[in-house]
Amino acid sequence: MSDLAITDPQTGQSEILNVEDAPEELPPQLLPLDAWHRARGGRMVPFAGYEMPVQYEGIMAEHLWVRKSAGLFDVSHMGQVVLTSDDGADAVALALEAVLPGDVTGLGDGRMRYSLLLAEDGGVLDDLMVTRRGDELYMVVNGATKYDDIGYLLDTLPDDVTMNLGEEQALLAVQGPKAVDALARLVPGVEALVFMTAGAFDWNGADLWISRSGYTGEDGFEVSISAEHAAAFADALLEQPEVKPIGLGARDSLRLEAGLPLYGHDLDPETTPVMADLGFALSKRRREAADFAGAERILAEREAGPASKRVGLIVAGRQPVREGATVVDADGAEIGRVTSGGFAPSLGSPIAMAYVPAALAAPGTAVRLVQRGKTHDATVAAMPFVPHRYVRKAA
């Protein structure tokens, strides 16, 4: 069983816990920037065990601002986990490959990869980012699942792997086509990063870990910074003319337009990577080795095709269809479910994601949705709905 070290944000001291000591439930928590958000008019709502800003001036306006300029998101609720071993990063990477289907051992320093935490039966327990950072591996996992993830990893990883949950760290995302202009004024050199790379930087004596990544489909960066410096850094970002604070509402509509799944909605333990249309997360070497959790089931689905598949939908009319609506056949029988849905400001129409029978997954297929007794016509569409604008080559 691995060890978990939790760092106190006030003292900087780490306490080693075993899985039996880990809390089953935590009271609602405040972000390091809670007062900062409230002072700037953030409307706070409960999300993933935290009080978080859902909007400032309005979801539509914030969404469109990110698409044309740059938005500042507080994603400090996410779990930032550092994994180490006396035998080095290679040993940690090899251990992680038992539960992640990606090529973790092949990651170069400062390189990151999207991956999936898999249950023994191949169900998705979480989606995450994993980065090689010198002699350690750095993972960012979803806020709502981070303690469950840690418990699972404590039970699964070898005894010589230690995890440190960096609760003293804030995580800020700067997203949009002008994000690089704004951030580079404060942190020269970040413009050299390309999509899915990361590095260590400094701002006024504060250590930063910055990746060129995000979950909006736009170019952008995620910045890990100590909680004590987060407010000052956020203030400095808002002094840049390109940047405005953006809430959870616009983050959700942006990721939906980008065709990016949200764990707990579009992904859960009942879905597999193949069902979720995330086959790219199964690296060739790992498929050939078939040595990850749930490999037999997942590879069989990949070969024969899944029974159902995540698809995008363009919904007719103006009324959004929300999570929980059903996909029905000609007789009105339920054959699928909507997992995310809303109005797409960039498109001016409602869109959704749903799981439908594989025979209905081809773009252009007409389907019917039922929400609160009302039927809506929809058409299966290729995702992303709005093209990604990641920067893959250095300027």
Side-chain angles (χ1 to χ4, degrees):
M1 183 182 296
S2 300
D3 288 329
L4 169 64
I6 296 183
T7 305
D8 188 310
Q10 303 299 320
T11 67
Q13 298 298 308
S14 294
E15 179 183 2
I16 303 296
L17 303 178
N18 63 39
V19 70
E20 286 79 11
D21 295 326
E24 293 184 4
E25 291 187 19
L26 293 177
Q29 301 178 71
L30 300 182
L31 299 170
L33 292 181
D34 181 80
W36 187 95
H37 294 302
R38 296 176 190 274
R40 284 153 188 79
R43 177 185 162 200
M44 308 301 284
V45 299
F47 180 80
Y50 288 80
E51 290 285 318
M52 297 192 66
V54 67
Q55 64 180 42
Y56 296 86
E57 61 176 303
I59 293 172
M60 177 83 74
E62 292 170 28
H63 178 114
L64 294 174
W65 181 262
V66 174
R67 287 283 187 236
K68 71 178 182 180
S69 190
L72 174 61
F73 301 79
D74 187 353
V75 289
S76 301
H77 65 299
M78 305 287 277
Q80 300 183 65
V81 183
V82 176
L83 299 101
T84 57
S85 168
D86 290 341
D87 295 324
D90 287 342
V92 178
L94 186 61
L96 279 175
E97 287 191 348
V99 289
L100 304 183
D103 183 3
V104 186
T105 57
L107 277 178
D109 194 26
R111 300 283 176 170
M112 59 193 302
R113 180 156 289 142
Y114 175 85
S115 196
L116 303 164
L117 184 63
L118 299 177
E120 290 184 4
D121 66 354
V124 178
L125 299 177
D126 200 5
D127 62 340
L128 55 87
M129 291 287 188
V130 58
T131 309
R132 183 163 186 147
R133 192 164 74 174
D135 292 332
E136 61 192 25
L137 290 181
Y138 168 75
M139 288 199 316
V140 177
V141 301
N142 281 292
T145 58
K146 60 185 175 183
Y147 297 109
D148 288 337
D149 291 354
I150 287 169
Y152 182 64
L153 290 170
L154 285 169
D155 284 339
T156 305
L157 298 182
D159 292 348
D160 62 350
V161 174
T162 296
M163 289 181 285
N164 190 320
L165 177 61
E167 296 196 303
E168 80 288 359
Q169 292 292 113
L171 189 63
L172 305 177
V174 190
Q175 300 284 294
K178 298 181 181 178
V180 63
D181 301 323
L183 187 57
R185 290 190 205 106
L186 301 180
V187 189
V190 295
E191 66 277 5
L193 294 175
V194 295
F195 184 55
M196 299 296 276
T197 66
F201 296 86
D202 171 272
W203 176 76
N204 291 350
D207 294 331
L208 310 177
W209 180 256
I210 301 179
S211 62
R212 199 158 192 171
S213 61
Y215 221 59
T216 63
E218 293 289 339
D219 181 30
F221 302 83
E222 292 189 338
V223 182
S224 178
I225 182 172
S226 66
E228 64 178 314
H229 296 296
F233 188 67
D235 283 339
L237 282 167
L238 285 198
E239 289 173 0
Q240 310 309 307
E242 300 90 349
V243 182
K244 290 184 178 182
I246 309 295
L248 281 172
R251 185 171 185 260
D252 191 56
S253 56
L254 288 159
R255 69 92 193 167
L256 181 56
E257 287 186 349
L260 301 173
L262 179 63
Y263 194 82
H265 302 262
D266 312 296
L267 300 173
D268 60 35
E270 302 304 313
T271 60
T272 66
V274 181
M275 292 169 59
D277 198 27
L278 297 175
F280 68 89
L282 310 172
S283 71
K284 181 180 179 181
R285 178 180 69 81
R286 304 302 312 288
R287 295 196 310 266
E288 292 174 348
D291 58 355
F292 52 88
E296 183 177 356
R297 174 189 179 189
I298 290 170
L299 295 176
E301 276 190 356
R302 188 174 184 273
E303 182 69 24
S308 64
K309 189 174 180 181
R310 180 175 66 96
V311 299
L313 299 174
I314 301 289
V315 181
R318 301 285 293 178
Q319 183 178 341
V321 175
R322 306 292 183 182
E323 177 182 1
T326 57
V327 184
V328 298
D329 63 15
D331 297 322
E334 181 178 342
I335 57 172
R337 59 189 173 92
V338 173
T339 53
S340 287
F343 188 80
S346 303
L347 303 177
S349 66
I351 59 175
M353 293 182 198
Y355 281 84
V356 302
L360 300 180
T365 303
V367 298
R368 294 195 303 164
L369 314 175
V370 175
Q371 176 177 259
R372 296 178 180 174
K374 183 176 180 180
T375 301
H376 302 260
D377 293 325
T379 304
V380 175
M383 294 189 288
F385 299 97
V386 173
H388 296 163
R389 296 199 282 184
Y390 306 135
V391 172
R392 299 181 184 276
K393 295 182 179 180

